[in-house]
Amino acid sequence: MKLRSVLGIALMVLASSAAHARDVLVSDPAAFKAAVKAARPGDSILLADGEWRDFQAVFTGIGTPDKPITMAAQTKGKVVLTGQSNIRLGGRHLVVSGLVFRDGHSPSREVISFRRDSKQVASNSRVTEVVIDGFSKPDRRAEDIWVALYGTDNRVDHSHFEGKTNAGVTLAVIRPKGQGEANRHRIDHNYFGPRPPLGSNGGETIRIGTSEESLSDSLTLVERNIFDRTSGEVEIVSVKAGGNIVRENLVLEAQGAFVLRHGNGNLIERNIFFGKGVPDTGGVRVINSDQTVRDNYFEGLAGTSFKSAVSVMNGVPNSVINRYHQVANARIAGNSIIDSARITLAAGADAERSAAPVDSRFERNLIVGAKGQDPFRAEGDIAGIALAGNVQSMVARPLLGKGVEQREVTLERAANGLLYPTDPALAAVGAPRDLKPVTRGEVGARWYRGNSPEAAFGTGATHPLAAGASLAEAAADAQAGDTLALGTGVYDVAAPLTVRRRLTIAGAKDAKPVLRVASSLARIAGGGGLKLENLAIDARAAAGEDALIAVGGGAAPNYRIAFDGVSVRGPGKGRLDGIVMAPGTFADDVTLTNSDFADMGVVVLATGEQEPKGWYPMERLTISGSRFARVGMVADLLRKGNDESTFGPWFAMTRSSVADSGAGGASLRVSGAQHSDIAHNSFAGSDGILVIHSVGAPETRIASNAFAATPAPRIEELVWKGPPRGVIEDNLVEAQP
Ligand code: CA
């Protein structure tokens, strides 16, 4: 009797809970709103398959650990939020799943926010199998965060984030001022796909906290994610809180490093970094107290300075909260550092950063390569770092002696894809054998792969175009990657072509078509990019008020411009600039190859970013095998400010000639670039080269150039107090008449 009554109650509970666990299919925002209001624990609100344009969802409710309230796609991957869309969560035990954000951007400062507003956060909630792909604000300076984690005990997993091109962290753990509570968030099994360099601070992929609350623990776990070419800025993961664990992530060709920027007692372990020699690929940077960096694997990292495979920074004595606290009690042990350019200790030591690391240990690490060079650098006092049990493959003049044994090391690639020493005596040195790199199949949304890479030049259709035909019409009709193949003869360009897609205009090498330009050749807009090949551009009649190619304010980030085998004749020295970029635009590459420029203004005018925030207009400017005569300047490239978060710009000019050129004392001015290589050029009867260093650790080489009736090249330092850095060598400077 008693037994039957207990059973009866159990059945009743089951029945009542089943009655409340409903799937509610909704097909418009009003129905969604009503369903949210009516939802009970265990319910799933399913968005109908299709496009949800301009959908700003507020998803609130109180679920239970066993019966969360779910917002999901009717079919995973078939619900696409476009236009001006976002989601705000508030409450507890909520789950969002299966949605795709594409073809738009958030109207607010966040795409997915774990809070409804400043009064209601979400806790114990989860975002899983969600995709945010290219959902970037069109002006790269307009800032947002794609996933903002407020509250506590939330999880973001098996999601796919790719192609963020505007300012702001991809995924941030927010710890508002005065709310330094433990968050215990979990960020795992996500695919963080390519994020191109932002050209400013604010391009981190993950940030945990901010400096204000950095002395309290967040206890966030970042585990088994892939970071694939997440190259937004120098910090891939920026830790600004205590007690976090960053474990077993796989980092592929990503420029930047995991940075223990603020906060103490963090653990970085069992991560695997492959740089493949890509410039500025780094590993882990240590700042603050009680940090542990153990059992990690670093291979092929080309970064130096703050982007070294391992760097341990100098601090600022009695540092304010947002500068650099001294490194104390750091433990860096059992890591393999293979074919990597640098391990930098006391990094960044200068007059301000004068507090050397103390009470720290560097133990049982294995250091092999690169190419027999010693990767160790000490930029200050390293007596506070005890070295023991490390093994380094032989180098000619090792920086470190005691605690770093020099010996022959032979490596063999093991079944897990990582290199280990063949000598069993080295079993306890370097990364452990049981590392298991996370695979692509384990991360991200199983049903989603990103769009194919943006169409490259010359990959589309080729459209022949006879002389006399309208270039403007053909350019307007072209699809991404198309080529307009011009015949011999003259093409009149009465008004600038509007280029909205990646376009190539090409002539034949031996019979270059002539483009007769009345005022300006082209305006790059939207998703444009332009390659010119084997053309003669006659702009002698241009008034010179416009640019030959103007990059408009709305041009897509990370566009490209290339000249190959092109000659340009302008209206006269100092008139008609060549390529001019509007502020807020950012080119991956501008390339001038085997081309001639005569009688014009500044050929590449890239000084539009005048705010001293570290923004700059292009990642790379490459000039080779080209000739400049009677031009205002070859290039005027500017990056202002003293922000240290970026890698570029890169500038290279090789095997080119400059004659009778210059304005205001320079024929080439490169200011704020991080890498400049100027070699094997000749300058005659021109103003000189001026390279200005303002920020970071710029690398400048001016070598093997000839200067006739041209002043010797100069390097100026705006911030650095010592003598100008950089290499000026093997140049031939003829006495001036
Ligand atoms: Ca940063």
Side-chain angles (χ1 to χ4, degrees), residues 72-326:
Q74 182 185 3
T75 309
K76 283 175 183 179
K78 294 280 165 62
V79 173
V80 185
L81 281 69
T82 65
Q84 305 223 340
S85 296
N86 60 15
I87 298 178
R88 287 179 284 153
L89 306 173
R92 297 178 64 194
H93 299 292
L94 305 174
V95 175
V96 175
S97 159
L99 309 178
V100 177
F101 286 87
R102 228 174 38 206
D103 303 325
H105 59 92
S106 171
S108 64
R109 290 176 60 87
E110 288 150 356
V111 177
I112 298 176
S113 180
F114 281 76
R115 71 171 188 181
R116 178 195 185 153
D117 51 40
S118 59
K119 292 184 194 72
Q120 190 185 14
V121 300
S123 290
N124 307 98
S125 294
R126 180 178 180 196
V127 166
T128 184
E129 292 193 81
V130 163
V131 173
I132 307 180
D133 186 349
F135 207 69
S136 301
K137 292 190 193 294
D139 184 334
R140 73 193 177 107
R141 297 168 299 181
E143 192 170 333
D144 67 2
I145 294 171
W146 276 7
V147 180
L149 281 155
Y150 294 86
T152 65
D153 304 285
N154 293 316
R155 183 178 180 201
V156 177
D157 66 281
H158 295 91
S159 290
H160 179 121
F161 308 107
E162 174 176 357
K164 191 173 200 292
T165 51
N166 65 313
V169 183
T170 307
L171 185 155
V173 173
I174 312 285
R175 310 182 77 227
K177 198 167 181 182
Q179 297 176 36
E181 62 194 338
N183 307 103
R184 295 180 301 272
H185 297 315
R186 197 171 152 201
I187 301 159
D188 63 283
H189 296 90
N190 299 291
Y191 174 73
F192 292 97
R195 176 164 190 184
L198 174 64
S200 168
N201 188 20
E204 302 89 351
T205 294
I206 293 180
R207 175 167 56 71
I208 302 172
T210 51
S211 60
E212 284 111 339
E213 292 301 330
S214 61
L215 296 180
S216 55
D217 287 351
S218 174
L219 308 184
T220 290
L221 174 65
V222 179
E223 186 175 40
R224 289 188 83 75
N225 302 281
I226 290 182
F227 296 87
D228 177 7
R229 292 164 286 162
T230 46
S231 301
E233 63 141 280
V234 295
E235 298 176 271
I236 300 167
V237 175
S238 179
V239 176
K240 297 186 171 178
N244 302 291
I245 299 175
V246 181
R247 181 160 66 202
E248 297 192 357
N249 299 284
L250 176 63
V251 185
L252 302 170
E253 298 176 52
Q255 294 175 298
F258 288 3
V259 182
L260 298 171
R261 185 64 188 85
H262 299 295
N264 306 312
N266 293 290
L267 172 60
I268 308 283
E269 66 171 354
R270 299 173 65 88
N271 300 284
I272 296 167
F273 294 74
F274 284 110
K276 303 235 175 96
V278 171
D280 292 317
T281 46
V284 178
R285 174 153 55 111
V286 178
I287 307 157
N288 308 294
S289 300
D290 309 320
Q291 315 283 29
T292 300
V293 179
R294 70 179 179 211
D295 299 342
N296 298 284
Y297 180 91
F298 306 95
E299 184 183 336
L301 302 176
T304 60
S305 181
F306 289 179
K307 293 145 285 176
S308 300
V310 174
S311 60
V312 181
M313 280 191 73
N314 253 31
V316 174
N318 306 310
S319 175
V320 293
I321 195 76
N322 64 352
R323 287 300 290 162
Y324 293 88
H325 283 109
Q326 183 176 31

